[in-house]
Amino acid sequence: MTSSTNVSCFHEARRVAIFGGTHGNEMSGVTLVNLWIQNGKEIQRKGVETKPFITNPRAVEKCTRYVDTDLNRAFTTENLSAPSGDDLPYEVQRAQQINEIFGPKGSPEAYDVIFDLHNTTSNMGCTLILESSKDYFNLQMMHYIKNAIAPDSCPVLLTEHPLLKYSTSRSVAKHPIGLEVGPQPQGVLRSNIFESMRVVLKHALDFIELFNKGLEFPPCTVDVFRVSEKMDYPRDTNGNIIAMVHPNLQDCDWEPLNPGDPMFQTFDGTTIRYEGAGTVYPTFINEAAYYEKQQAFVTTRRETLAAGAIKKT
Amino acid sequence: MEPVSLPALSRVALCGGTHGNEMSGVYLVRELQRQKLEKAGSATLTTVISNPRAVQVCKRYTDTDLNRCFTDAILSSPVTDATPYEVRRAQELNTLLGPKGNVGAMDLLCDLHNTTANMGLSLISYSVQDWVIMHIYRQIQRKITSAPVRFIVLDLPLADAYSQDSLGKHGFSIEVGPQPHGVVRADIFNIMKEAVDQTLDWVQCFNSGCAFEGGEVDNVYTFVKSVYYPRDPETNQIAAAIHPQLQDRDFCLLHPGDPMFLMFSGEILKYEGEEVLHPFFVNECAYYEKSIAFHLARKMTVTIPPLQVKRD
């Protein structure tokens, strides 16, 4: 059986990392990674070195998102190439250390795959975050995971956007994958959320094992939600929030928001409606950490991405 | 029961942000201040953001939990350079809203809180014999249908009462959940607003001479004990999560043999007490640092007397 279609060849994924505690109060990842540091049997796969790693130990210790600055925004070229020093914010120093161990970002020595474990207060279920629409390896992995956990769903958020894309800790790897599971309050560990994250990772590692064994994955398509626009809370002239996410929108991540639909509710009960041009699919609705980033939710548009066939070199 | 008459409630206080990341109370107090709401009928209404520094950084507290600083001992402790911010603030609030136990204190103090636990709308106080509070509870329970309404009583003498509501002659907390800390949910905010509206409504009726009939109130829960997270003996880390069958099931029955914790190893830890009790504050974020997984309570019904304002 000869293949007349193009097959993209990738090196074996031999070095894989699992990051927890990039935000110190997102407990599923912190707990899973600490468990696996003690006993890594569950994450071992033949031919793969899987390294569990706590990226922001000081934030984890204080059970806070970050100490000086958000680690998951700190992996910019500017930060990574700045001269190292104690005067740098803690998370910038940490980003440089992580880049040395798991990168350098963009180089052939970088880790093959990094999974970065996050929780959200938004009702996003088990979301996979994809940074590039052209990463066939990641697309094939996500396709595999979606099939494996069906009928449960695993939405894919594509953060490829000139302004909204941010420099994540996982971005030092060749194939970065974000796992965002919610809803879960910061600082809280919910058993069901913890177990779903565990299951998704199991399937992801199974995919890597199969790939490394030489299995060819045929061309596939993956439905994704491409990030479109950041929507802030309505504020007064002093910058104070004057309305809340409307009860009709709250918890409705990934559901259509049409022009005219309720979007915010003021504290005295008035409805503010969505006035965009067309239907969008909001997500990260009412994420605790985004109040300070001026984001009530982000809109997305549905897209189908195609991934060519892949196999190992 | 014999009818009771009590003095009018002429000074009412409403406090939010006692924990700086419990957002419903913060936004509700700010909204009432924006509306310049200063009276409830003949009563004056004082609105306070209790812990402004913690609200500023959206944290539960900066040095120590403000809502544990209102015992007689802490309120009378001398202030030095080493005194934590919240202890100083508690003493300030005692001057503003108290003094605790004194005739000059607020007649009614209502403190607004949120919890990550699935507790619906809970009123919390130190006694089931404060007839003002019990009648307010009954009104809220009758009028509010958007959430289950319950009363939790902590059996402590006034000197040991540690929370801010103990500053008032009549005091209680309104606790609404589930809501993540640092988040304001419209549905939760609206429940709290309804509870505050009903409270102020009752106060106005009471002050103007309404006669409230006696009767029975149910869904009253008395704190019995706390249950702690199991820890790994070697690492001292918490070794389990609340079992999925207990998660979100505040106030349901916990029988001997029912699952409590799911260890990360997969083992199930079961409740081994002898008495069937009711869990609450199940998986409250702020209690991890005290290692508390949940509290247990006994359920009871309370008979309340007819109540009317005392005429001079």
Side-chain angles (χ1 to χ4, degrees):
Chain A
M1 187 178 83
T2 47
S3 170
S4 57
T5 55
N6 284 329
V7 183
S8 302
C9 289
F10 296 88
H11 289 298
E12 249 182 59
R14 235 184 252 127
R15 293 191 308 156
V16 172
I18 303 176
F19 285 176
T22 297
H23 296 133
N25 54 10
E26 294 177 13
M27 304 307 293
S28 308
V30 172
T31 308
L32 278 171
V33 165
N34 278 333
L35 271 182
W36 290 329
I37 287 173
Q38 261 184 63
N39 183 349
K41 192 160 153 230
E42 191 183 332
I43 55 171
Q44 274 161 25
R45 294 289 188 279
K46 214 162 136 202
V48 189
E49 176 207 314
T50 314
K51 189 181 170 99
F53 188 79
I54 296 285
T55 42
N56 196 340
R58 270 205 217 163
V60 169
E61 202 189 343
K62 293 182 163 192
C63 198
T64 189
R65 181 177 176 85
Y66 56 80
V67 171
D68 293 333
T69 187
D70 192 335
L71 179 62
N72 215 30
R73 304 289 183 278
F75 286 77
T76 59
T77 317
E78 190 193 330
N79 280 347
L80 296 180
S81 57
S84 62
D86 287 336
D87 52 311
L88 288 175
Y90 169 71
E91 279 86 4
V92 174
Q93 293 183 45
R94 198 64 191 143
Q96 292 180 343
Q97 286 163 16
I98 289 166
N99 193 38
E100 247 179 90
I101 302 170
F102 298 98
K105 182 167 166 177
S107 78
E109 290 81 47
Y111 261 59
D112 298 296
V113 183
I114 295 179
F115 297 102
D116 193 16
L117 307 182
H118 287 268
N119 290 118
T120 174
T121 58
S122 307
N123 189 25
M124 288 168 73
C126 265
T127 292
L128 297 169
I129 306 186
L130 179 67
E131 298 194 358
S132 161
S133 59
K134 300 179 185 48
D135 187 336
Y136 286 177
F137 181 87
N138 274 358
L139 278 167
Q140 289 278 4
M141 183 194 297
M142 294 184 180
H143 180 255
Y144 178 89
I145 293 171
K146 275 161 147 315
N147 277 354
I149 74 163
D152 290 341
S153 70
C154 211
V156 174
L157 175 64
L158 175 65
T159 56
E160 187 179 69
H161 186 286
L163 297 169
L164 297 181
K165 181 164 184 173
Y166 45 91
S167 307
T168 56
S169 47
R170 58 187 177 265
S171 67
V172 303
K174 293 174 187 144
H175 305 289
I177 291 137
L179 241 82
E180 188 80 55
V181 189
Q184 179 170 271
Q186 294 170 343
V188 163
L189 184 71
R190 288 180 66 98
S191 184
N192 60 330
I193 298 288
F194 172 84
E195 293 297 329
S196 341
M197 194 181 264
R198 210 175 191 170
V199 164
V200 168
L201 268 168
K202 171 201 155 351
H203 292 307
L205 293 172
D206 288 347
F207 169 86
I208 291 174
E209 190 175 5
L210 289 169
F211 176 82
N212 286 354
K213 277 188 184 154
L215 187 64
E216 180 176 321
F217 292 85
C220 69
T221 59
V222 182
D223 290 333
V224 305
F225 292 91
R226 182 190 285 271
V227 76
S228 177
E229 196 186 352
K230 180 172 115 165
M231 301 290 283
D232 191 12
Y233 292 95
R235 293 175 190 269
D236 63 18
T237 46
N238 292 325
N240 296 316
I241 286 173
I242 57 170
M244 312 169 276
V245 170
H246 195 279
N248 288 20
L249 177 57
Q250 178 69 53
D251 300 334
C252 293
D253 299 67
W254 310 120
E255 292 174 34
L257 180 70
N258 304 302
D261 284 350
M263 191 171 53
F264 296 110
Q265 184 180 79
T266 63
F267 296 112
D268 58 4
T270 311
T271 297
I272 297 172
R273 296 177 187 275
Y274 177 59
E275 282 174 5
T279 301
V280 291
Y281 295 83
T283 193
F284 275 120
I285 298 173
N286 209 349
E287 160 54 50
Y290 290 169
Y291 282 57
E292 72 175 20
K293 298 198 207 295
Q294 283 85 48
Q295 184 176 310
F297 61 95
V298 74
T299 63
T300 70
R301 299 208 140 82
R302 298 182 75 152
E303 215 174 291
T304 303
L305 298 182
I310 66 166
K311 75 172 183 204
K312 81 165 180 185
T313 314
Chain B
M1 276 176 106
E2 281 294 302
V4 170
S5 63
L6 291 172
L9 305 167
S10 50
R11 298 167 70 227
V12 177
L14 192 64
C15 305
T18 301
H19 293 133
N21 54 8
E22 295 177 14
M23 304 311 294
S24 309
V26 173
Y27 284 111
L28 185 52
V29 162
R30 283 189 187 159
E31 174 63 12
L32 295 177
Q33 289 174 345
R34 186 190 71 85
Q35 291 176 16
K36 297 197 184 350
L37 197 73
E38 284 159 7
K39 292 201 73 91
S42 58
T44 57
L45 179 65
T46 303
T47 52
V48 183
I49 294 286
S50 313
N51 195 339
R53 274 203 209 172
V55 169
Q56 174 76 15
V57 291
C58 197
K59 295 234 179 286
R60 182 176 176 82
Y61 56 80
T62 58
D63 295 335
T64 189
D65 189 344
L66 176 62
N67 214 30
R68 299 293 183 275
C69 290
F70 294 92
T71 60
D72 284 10
I74 297 177
L75 288 178
S76 58
S77 63
V79 169
T80 68
D81 284 341
T83 302
Y85 166 73
E86 277 87 4
V87 171
R88 289 174 209 258
R89 183 62 182 151
Q91 296 186 356
E92 252 173 48
L93 289 163
N94 190 37
T95 307
L96 177 70
L97 305 172
K100 178 175 170 185
N102 190 285
V103 294
M106 286 284 158
D107 296 303
L108 180 66
L109 198 162
C110 177
D111 194 21
L112 306 176
H113 288 268
N114 290 117
T115 174
T116 57
N118 187 25
M119 284 170 66
L121 171 58
S122 295
L123 270 55
I124 309 180
S125 195
Y126 291 96
S127 162
V128 288
Q129 294 187 316
D130 182 325
W131 308 129
V132 163
I133 309 282
M134 298 314 289
H135 275 273
I136 289 173
Y137 168 55
R138 184 163 66 168
Q139 170 142 335
I140 289 176
Q141 201 186 36
R142 277 178 173 169
K143 295 290 179 79
I144 292 184
T145 54
S146 50
V149 182
R150 303 174 179 105
F151 193 95
I152 298 169
V153 58
L154 311 171
D155 202 3
L156 283 175
L158 188 63
D160 298 332
Y162 49 75
S163 54
Q164 190 177 209
D165 52 293
S166 68
L167 294 183
K169 291 188 191 127
H170 306 278
F172 66 105
S173 295
I174 292 179
E175 184 91 51
V176 190
Q179 179 171 268
H181 297 315
V183 160
V184 63
R185 286 182 63 103
D187 53 359
I188 297 289
F189 176 88
N190 290 332
I191 291 167
M192 188 177 275
K193 183 164 188 309
E194 260 192 281
V196 166
D197 287 345
Q198 288 300 330
T199 300
L200 297 179
D201 195 73
W202 187 92
V203 167
Q204 286 178 71
C205 274
F206 174 74
N207 284 346
S208 61
C210 290
F212 296 96
E213 56 182 36
E216 282 208 334
V217 284
D218 61 6
N219 274 315
V220 177
Y221 294 86
T222 310
F223 172 86
V224 171
K225 63 182 177 184
S226 306
V227 176
Y228 297 86
Y229 281 105
R231 286 187 182 267
D232 182 302
E234 278 172 33
T235 61
N236 203 36
Q237 302 275 16
I238 287 177
I242 300 278
H243 195 278
Q245 279 179 42
L246 176 56
Q247 179 68 55
D248 300 332
R249 299 190 67 239
D250 298 69
F251 301 107
C252 293
L253 287 166
L254 188 70
H255 308 87
D258 282 349
M260 277 193 309
F261 297 106
L262 181 57
M263 309 291 287
F264 303 136
S265 58
E267 191 195 332
I268 297 174
L269 276 188
K270 298 182 181 178
Y271 173 55
E272 282 172 7
E274 282 172 12
E275 198 184 344
V276 177
L277 291 172
H278 299 262
F280 66 103
F281 275 122
V282 176
N283 209 349
E284 162 54 50
C285 172
Y287 292 170
Y288 279 55
E289 70 176 16
K290 304 186 223 280
S291 229
I292 293 171
F294 55 94
H295 294 317
L296 285 170
R298 218 170 266 130
K299 189 175 175 179
M300 58 196 236
T301 305
V302 175
T303 308
I304 64 177
L307 179 66
Q308 201 167 12
V309 71
K310 189 183 278 185
R311 294 259 181 249
D312 289 323

